[in-house]
Amino acid sequence: MEEPLDLEPLFPDRAAGENLAVQLARRLREAIDAGALPAGARLLGTRQLAKRLGLGRNTVALAFEQLAAEGYLQPHRGSGTLVGVSGRKPARLGKSVRQAPPARAQLVASLRSTFEVARGLGPLRPGMPDLAKFPTTPWSRSARKTLNAYDGDLGYGPSSGLRALRDAIATHLRQFRGVTARADQIIVVEGAQAAMHLVAFVLTRPGEPVVVEDPCYALARAAFEAHELRLCPVPVDGDGLLVDALPREARLAFVTPTHQFPLGGTLPIARRTALLQWAGRKAATYIVEDDYDSEFTSRARPLPPLQCLDRDERVIYIGSFSKTLAPVVRLGYIVAPPHLIGAFSTARAIAGLGCGVHVQATLADFIEQGHYARHIRRMNAIYDRRRAILVNALRPALRLGFRLGPAQTGLHLALLGERGFNDVALSSALNGQSLVALSRLCIRRRDCRGFVLGFTNGSDAEIEAAATQLVERARVC
Amino acid sequence: MEEPLDLEPLFPDRAAGENLAVQLARRLREAIDAGALPAGARLLGTRQLAKRLGLGRNTVALAFEQLAAEGYLQPHRGSGTLVGVSGRKPARLGKSVRQAPPARAQLVASLRSTFEVARGLGPLRPGMPDLAKFPTTPWSRSARKTLNAYDGDLGYGPSSGLRALRDAIATHLRQFRGVTARADQIIVVEGAQAAMHLVAFVLTRPGEPVVVEDPCYALARAAFEAHELRLCPVPVDGDGLLVDALPREARLAFVTPTHQFPLGGTLPIARRTALLQWAGRKAATYIVEDDYDSEFTSRARPLPPLQCLDRDERVIYIGSFSKTLAPVVRLGYIVAPPHLIGAFSTARAIAGLGCGVHVQATLADFIEQGHYARHIRRMNAIYDRRRAILVNALRPALRLGFRLGPAQTGLHLALLGERGFNDVALSSALNGQSLVALSRLCIRRRDCRGFVLGFTNGSDAEIEAAATQLVERARVC
């Protein structure tokens, strides 16, 4: 050809904000790929094409040069510029096989549904703190203060987290939980989920067995499933994990001894000791202790975390600021046994040093100034009230055969239905809300029906209304 | 006993800021664990102990209650409180096995050394942008602006990243690199390292083969080694990957076609096409295209990224803001082929939703306002000057038998020594600085000696001085 059959698609769109040479090159490339400009066709000269399109000649020359480098155009001295071979065609014409993602990717993608059923929506969504009560003023003050202090340090931060934050966490854990950990045992991560992923990445290989509570926290289960671990569910009762049912071997045991999720039990000291002995008898067996809401449970006759009782470096303790402050903070931590510090710290560097230095400095200051302890005290009072409101609103359900799990502390409680109760049907029946059905959190057992009900993701009135609505619907069903 | 042999260790330390009941409980626990208070010993009553220690009686009672719950103390009506069994002893007395970390953890910990040899120190450290030129003023303006806009959203952000940022990245990639990707193909992560970790996590299982360039970027190699992949090194020449040496099968191929790291070649169009055909002939084989410094290389007669030529959804394109802005930003991205969007997005949720929403919003605004493009233009001019300074300062080395790799663009250049040259010895010999030795980046080949020299991590004078020092030492060796 002497010119494109249709110059129309090449006219510049100046509103797109795109560099005009890049735009022209892209459009010519598309035309060649689409076959509108066949190989061997001769293009207009740069001067003529520039004039027709209302572009500068240099712009057109630059686009031609780019396409020549790519092989789309072939400049020929004397005979102008010819259309070359489409850069896309060779890949297309080869014997390409339809893309089927590898098994691991299919598995990971299939876990999406876990997030939908495990989260819930509305005022009774468990585990979501009252974001309206976020301590904006002192937090912003810490943020501004540390912005100045960390102004000069724009490089990669330390792989285990900012020293100031690790010190603050160590002090907090000692005061609130009796956990005695040196700052260098603390690895700052983006939250409890990131902690579980890191633990699985560092300590496991596909196919290895992992003990999980039955029922258990669904997103922990999803993390282990994504790593292709073999789930070994161990049932829980009102006091937590039934340690007599532990399997002979496992690489990890994921437990919530302070406040079993979802049922609410507190693991007695004898079971704690038995669990530690179980792990201690084997080499390279670890207990992952998720102390996920201990700041809201440890007031009522607390038991020491497994981490405090562990003499054999078997316990990996994890915690998060998502529930005490807000998920947006995106910070949590691992307390590693000393012999694993090197592995976790290196793993953080390999996996990308996630946490921003500035938010770490902000949180360190916020804790040091006492705002964190103050905020937790304040929220404990609010959540105590909301728990009472929820328990009161659920009272009529108890006459329908429902029972309440241990409800003195924490950020959620379990409402247990009778055997055979269809919790899944009821969980999605509430308009604009969805409840977390207990049966969805079970792995092997079939005798656990009901709901995990939070009382922190709404005002007093909203929580009362949602609970009343739930009772009404349960009455109808 | 009627009282501890020594009350001294129990006296409160009010300066510690610790709750006094928690403190007393901790100290009693420690005394029992240490054997200073043997099982069966009788403690002073709460009233007496409180008086001696100068504490409130309630404080002591609370500590006793806590320890009773833990089994450390046994209250007996009439006969006072007896010391129980140490909570720690059972775990210690069991037949515990010395802890040996699993093979995966040992492997991960052993990769620490890679980070030391691969980074370098001083003005010639490669890959570290000039942090003194960080655009603080417009960045802070975007940060303040978006702080207000995102004030209300304190929950978990979207798993693939903030929509505004994904839109901004899509536009940037289209304008700068000709990459045509929809915003939903973009997965925001914490940087290129996080991207490689995520790719390995989602697409591979231990033992699977991964193609890497030889020599290659050491931290990419470390990420694949941590996932226990089998490295298949493919040599590079001055034009990049030797595609004829590709193995028959691999799960991944990690490549740097725009600007081979470390040698600097640009992969010609024919090799690009051949590489895509190689991947296209197999199901579930992917090319990871790390376009790590393309903002500083694409001006000089750029070739289209593999991503643009890919018709078979084989290419995963990764990029980062660590080199264009600063590592502290902790943001990068993956451009996923459409059929992998679900897997990557779910994997992000499973691995912990790392990126803070606020920094994402800040970067989105910074890009939209044109500051990002402006900053890149400005830095290109500065880096061009520094490259010229470095090349000039290295000139005497060329008379010693050294050669320069392609040095027109990017943030580093390769200084190649003669066969047998001991680059490792010289790399650590510079006081206060360390160079990245090419032989440390090689996997199988032994014919590649020299250094990767950055010219961005210092002022003009510092770079000149460091290069002069290097030449001096090379002359002596």
Side-chain angles (χ1 to χ4, degrees):
Chain A
M1 64 146 217
E2 279 296 326
E3 64 179 79
L5 289 176
D6 184 9
L7 273 185
E8 183 65 31
L10 300 182
F11 274 97
D13 173 10
R14 288 167 199 273
E18 195 174 14
N19 176 293
L20 292 176
V22 171
Q23 190 182 71
L24 178 61
R26 179 170 60 76
R27 289 171 170 196
L28 280 167
R29 202 185 288 120
E30 285 164 3
I32 297 169
D33 280 336
L37 291 172
R42 186 179 305 127
L43 283 182
L44 286 174
T46 51
R47 190 193 305 264
Q48 276 182 285
L49 190 59
K51 199 171 163 191
R52 297 246 193 143
L53 296 176
L55 287 167
R57 193 179 168 191
N58 277 342
T59 305
V60 176
L62 208 61
F64 272 32
E65 204 180 318
Q66 159 79 29
L67 292 171
E70 298 176 13
Y72 276 96
L73 296 182
Q74 295 174 335
H76 283 275
R77 208 176 281 249
S79 59
T81 300
L82 302 182
V83 172
V85 177
S86 161
R88 298 210 167 181
K89 277 188 178 154
R92 202 188 214 171
L93 291 176
K95 285 184 229 148
S96 54
V97 174
R98 209 184 71 81
Q99 188 58 296
R104 172 68 78 99
Q106 294 182 31
L107 168 70
V108 170
S110 76
L111 294 168
R112 160 74 57 185
S113 60
T114 310
F115 286 80
E116 280 149 21
V117 303
R119 283 216 166 133
L121 268 179
L124 303 182
R125 171 177 177 175
M128 179 60 82
D130 187 346
L131 301 180
K133 298 279 189 285
F134 183 79
T136 309
T137 308
W139 180 266
S140 304
R141 206 180 305 127
S142 291
R144 276 195 303 274
K145 192 168 137 190
T146 51
L147 196 56
N148 300 334
Y150 284 86
D151 212 16
D153 185 5
L154 302 170
Y156 296 92
S159 59
S160 297
L162 210 60
R163 180 63 197 226
L165 178 57
R166 298 161 80 197
D167 284 335
I169 291 171
T171 305
H172 168 76
L173 285 176
R174 184 164 53 76
Q175 294 178 354
F176 269 70
R177 300 294 293 130
V179 166
T180 48
R182 304 188 313 264
D184 72 344
Q185 285 177 261
I186 291 167
I187 319 286
V188 178
V189 296
E190 298 84 359
Q193 195 69 31
M196 289 183 281
H197 173 70
L198 194 71
V199 167
F201 171 54
V202 171
L203 297 177
T204 73
R205 284 170 168 167
E208 291 185 337
V210 55
V211 166
V212 289
E213 298 164 326
D214 192 5
C216 82
Y217 178 53
L219 300 190
R221 174 186 166 173
F224 299 132
E225 287 181 317
H227 282 270
E228 301 192 60
L229 302 184
R230 182 160 55 79
L231 298 181
C232 303
V234 170
V236 300
D237 64 11
D239 285 337
L241 193 79
L242 289 167
V243 289
D244 292 340
L246 280 164
R248 186 183 296 265
E249 300 288 342
R251 169 69 72 226
L252 296 178
F254 176 81
V255 292
T256 51
T258 302
H259 191 221
Q260 202 274 329
F261 192 92
L263 296 188
T266 301
L267 202 67
I269 193 82
R271 291 198 197 173
R272 286 173 197 243
T273 304
L275 179 59
L276 286 164
Q277 284 181 323
W278 169 84
R281 278 194 300 269
K282 289 169 276 287
T285 295
Y286 295 90
I287 299 167
V288 183
E289 178 175 32
D290 186 4
D291 217 21
Y292 67 95
D293 67 356
S294 64
E295 283 84 356
F296 304 107
T297 51
S298 58
R299 296 157 306 144
R301 196 177 292 256
L303 289 173
L306 295 171
Q307 200 274 350
C308 300
L309 307 173
D310 173 32
R311 279 283 165 98
D312 302 317
E313 304 203 4
R314 256 47 171 193
V315 175
I316 296 155
Y317 179 93
I318 68 184
S320 159
F321 295 93
S322 295
K323 290 179 178 52
T324 47
L325 284 168
V328 78
V329 172
R330 307 269 8 87
L331 287 172
Y333 49 86
I334 288 171
V335 181
H339 76 282
L340 289 181
I341 293 171
F344 280 124
S345 161
T346 306
R348 282 294 289 174
I350 287 171
L353 302 174
C355 305
V357 168
H358 179 238
V359 70
Q360 291 187 63
T362 301
L363 179 56
D365 184 75
F366 187 85
I367 296 173
E368 280 162 21
Q369 298 298 318
H371 298 304
Y372 187 55
R374 217 162 8 250
H375 181 64
I376 290 170
R377 276 200 298 279
R378 176 175 174 237
M379 297 315 291
N380 260 311
I382 293 171
Y383 294 153
D384 280 350
R385 189 180 72 223
R386 300 236 171 111
R387 185 187 309 107
I389 289 169
L390 176 61
V391 168
N392 197 49
L394 292 175
R395 203 147 301 195
L398 306 187
R399 288 192 293 274
L400 300 172
F402 286 91
R403 287 172 300 121
L404 284 179
Q408 294 85 11
T409 62
L411 302 183
H412 74 271
L413 55 83
L415 180 69
L416 298 149
E418 290 176 320
R419 221 183 158 95
F421 165 64
N422 190 342
D423 53 5
V424 172
L426 199 63
S427 70
S428 51
L430 297 150
N431 51 352
Q433 303 174 12
S434 80
L435 301 177
V436 179
L438 279 176
S439 63
R440 285 245 167 85
L441 307 183
C442 291
I443 299 169
R444 196 171 291 157
R445 61 197 288 180
R446 294 282 167 268
D447 61 341
C448 188
R449 303 296 175 97
F451 304 104
V452 192
L453 303 176
F455 41 79
T456 56
N457 195 33
S459 66
D460 295 11
E462 285 165 340
I463 286 158
E464 185 164 22
T468 305
Q469 196 188 358
L470 165 63
V471 172
E472 285 307 313
R473 296 201 65 95
R475 204 189 300 278
V476 175
C477 288
Chain B
M1 65 145 214
E2 280 296 325
E3 63 178 81
L5 290 177
D6 184 12
L7 273 183
E8 185 63 32
L10 301 182
F11 275 97
D13 173 10
R14 289 166 199 274
E18 195 175 14
N19 176 292
L20 292 177
V22 170
Q23 190 181 72
L24 178 61
R26 178 170 60 77
R27 290 170 168 198
L28 280 167
R29 204 184 287 119
E30 285 165 2
I32 297 169
D33 279 338
L37 291 174
R42 188 181 302 130
L43 283 182
L44 287 173
T46 51
R47 190 194 305 264
Q48 276 180 284
L49 191 59
K51 201 171 159 191
R52 296 244 194 143
L53 296 177
L55 289 166
R57 193 179 170 190
N58 278 341
T59 305
V60 177
L62 207 62
F64 274 32
E65 206 181 315
Q66 159 78 30
L67 292 171
E70 297 176 14
Y72 275 95
L73 297 182
Q74 295 175 334
H76 283 277
R77 207 175 284 248
S79 59
T81 300
L82 302 181
V83 173
V85 177
S86 161
R88 298 210 166 177
K89 277 190 179 150
R92 201 190 217 171
L93 291 175
K95 285 186 229 146
S96 54
V97 173
R98 210 183 71 78
Q99 188 59 296
R104 172 69 78 100
Q106 294 182 30
L107 168 70
V108 170
S110 76
L111 294 168
R112 159 74 57 186
S113 60
T114 310
F115 285 80
E116 281 149 21
V117 302
R119 282 215 165 133
L121 269 178
L124 303 182
R125 172 177 177 174
M128 177 60 79
D130 186 347
L131 302 179
K133 299 281 191 284
F134 185 79
T136 309
T137 308
W139 180 266
S140 304
R141 205 181 304 127
S142 290
R144 277 196 302 276
K145 189 168 143 190
T146 51
L147 197 56
N148 301 333
Y150 283 85
D151 212 16
D153 184 7
L154 302 171
Y156 297 92
S159 60
S160 297
L162 209 61
R163 182 61 198 227
L165 178 58
R166 298 161 81 196
D167 284 335
I169 291 171
T171 304
H172 169 76
L173 284 176
R174 183 165 51 76
Q175 294 177 354
F176 269 69
R177 300 294 290 131
V179 166
T180 48
R182 305 189 311 264
D184 72 344
Q185 284 177 261
I186 290 166
I187 320 285
V188 178
V189 295
E190 297 85 359
Q193 196 68 30
M196 289 182 279
H197 173 70
L198 194 73
V199 166
F201 172 55
V202 171
L203 296 178
T204 74
R205 284 170 168 167
E208 290 184 341
V210 55
V211 166
V212 289
E213 298 163 326
D214 192 5
C216 81
Y217 179 52
L219 301 189
R221 173 186 169 176
F224 300 132
E225 286 181 317
H227 283 269
E228 302 192 57
L229 302 183
R230 183 160 56 79
L231 298 181
C232 303
V234 170
V236 300
D237 65 10
D239 285 337
L241 194 77
L242 289 167
V243 291
D244 292 339
L246 281 164
R248 186 183 296 266
E249 299 289 341
R251 169 69 73 228
L252 297 179
F254 175 81
V255 291
T256 51
T258 301
H259 190 221
Q260 202 274 328
F261 191 92
L263 296 189
T266 301
L267 202 68
I269 194 81
R271 291 199 197 174
R272 288 174 195 242
T273 305
L275 179 59
L276 287 163
Q277 283 180 324
W278 169 84
R281 278 194 300 268
K282 289 169 276 286
T285 295
Y286 295 90
I287 298 166
V288 183
E289 177 175 32
D290 185 3
D291 217 19
Y292 66 97
D293 68 356
S294 64
E295 284 83 356
F296 303 107
T297 52
S298 57
R299 295 156 306 143
R301 196 178 291 258
L303 290 172
L306 295 170
Q307 199 274 351
C308 299
L309 306 174
D310 174 32
R311 278 285 163 97
D312 302 317
E313 304 203 5
R314 257 41 172 198
V315 175
I316 297 154
Y317 179 93
I318 67 184
S320 159
F321 295 94
S322 295
K323 290 179 179 52
T324 47
L325 284 167
V328 78
V329 171
R330 309 264 12 88
L331 287 173
Y333 49 86
I334 288 171
V335 181
H339 76 282
L340 288 181
I341 293 171
F344 279 124
S345 160
T346 306
R348 282 294 290 174
I350 286 171
L353 301 174
C355 305
V357 168
H358 179 239
V359 69
Q360 291 185 62
T362 301
L363 179 56
D365 184 75
F366 187 84
I367 297 173
E368 280 162 20
Q369 298 299 318
H371 298 302
Y372 187 55
R374 214 159 12 247
H375 180 64
I376 289 170
R377 274 199 299 278
R378 176 175 171 237
M379 297 315 291
N380 260 311
I382 292 171
Y383 294 153
D384 280 350
R385 190 179 69 223
R386 300 237 170 112
R387 186 187 309 108
I389 289 169
L390 177 61
V391 168
N392 197 48
L394 291 175
R395 201 147 304 196
L398 307 187
R399 288 190 296 273
L400 299 172
F402 287 91
R403 288 172 300 119
L404 285 180
Q408 295 83 15
T409 61
L411 302 184
H412 73 270
L413 55 84
L415 180 69
L416 298 149
E418 290 176 321
R419 220 183 163 97
F421 166 63
N422 191 342
D423 53 5
V424 172
L426 199 63
S427 71
S428 51
L430 296 151
N431 52 350
Q433 303 177 13
S434 80
L435 301 178
V436 179
L438 279 176
S439 63
R440 284 245 167 84
L441 307 184
C442 291
I443 300 170
R444 195 170 293 158
R445 62 198 284 183
R446 294 284 167 266
D447 60 341
C448 188
R449 303 296 174 96
F451 304 104
V452 192
L453 303 175
F455 41 79
T456 57
N457 195 33
S459 65
D460 294 12
E462 287 165 339
I463 286 159
E464 185 164 22
T468 305
Q469 197 187 358
L470 165 63
V471 173
E472 286 307 312
R473 294 202 66 95
R475 201 189 301 277
V476 174
C477 288

